[in-house]
Amino acid sequence: MGCLILIPVLRLIYSFFTKGESTKNIWFYEHPYPPGYKSYSKTKPIKIEEFAAEKAWWNNREENEFAWCVSIEEIKANGYNLDIKNPYQ
């Protein structure tokens, strides 16, 4: 499994690919910031405990307010642009 981290100005979004297989779908997960955070920085780094929601979601992946799946056909139609907004926001 590979992971590409896209770090826009306001959101931390992960996209997931399966290594060694042709890509059929790409999962995106928008990591929510902890209360009081607007972004991560050197003085406010991300902590391993903050990945609890992603770990719980991983083995039973379903779309929700933080996670969405995009087909390779949609990616191709978009010119392979992975800047895909969260459809639930």
Side-chain angles (χ1 to χ4, degrees):
M1 180 61 65
C3 177
L4 172 66
I5 301 175
L6 307 172
I7 307 175
V9 176
L10 299 175
R11 300 276 185 227
L12 182 60
I13 300 175
Y14 303 93
S15 48
F16 298 95
F17 306 84
T18 301
K19 184 177 178 181
E21 296 179 14
S22 296
T23 301
K24 296 179 183 92
N25 298 296
I26 298 175
W27 278 96
F28 292 84
Y29 194 98
E30 185 173 342
H31 178 81
Y33 289 114
Y37 279 54
K38 292 184 181 177
S39 65
Y40 290 106
S41 67
K42 188 175 181 178
T43 59
K44 290 184 177 181
I46 194 166
K47 298 175 184 146
I48 194 70
E49 303 85 40
E50 295 171 38
F51 289 101
E54 287 94 325
K55 289 178 182 178
W57 166 81
W58 183 254
N59 289 325
N60 189 23
R61 283 176 261 174
E62 292 183 6
E63 292 195 12
N64 61 47
E65 65 182 301
F66 301 112
W68 64 101
C69 188
V70 179
S71 72
I72 191 63
E73 289 78 20
E74 188 175 341
I75 300 289
K76 287 178 183 177
N78 235 4
Y80 294 93
N81 182 352
L82 295 178
D83 186 15
I84 300 172
K85 307 295 181 225
N86 183 341
Y88 298 98
Q89 301 255 327

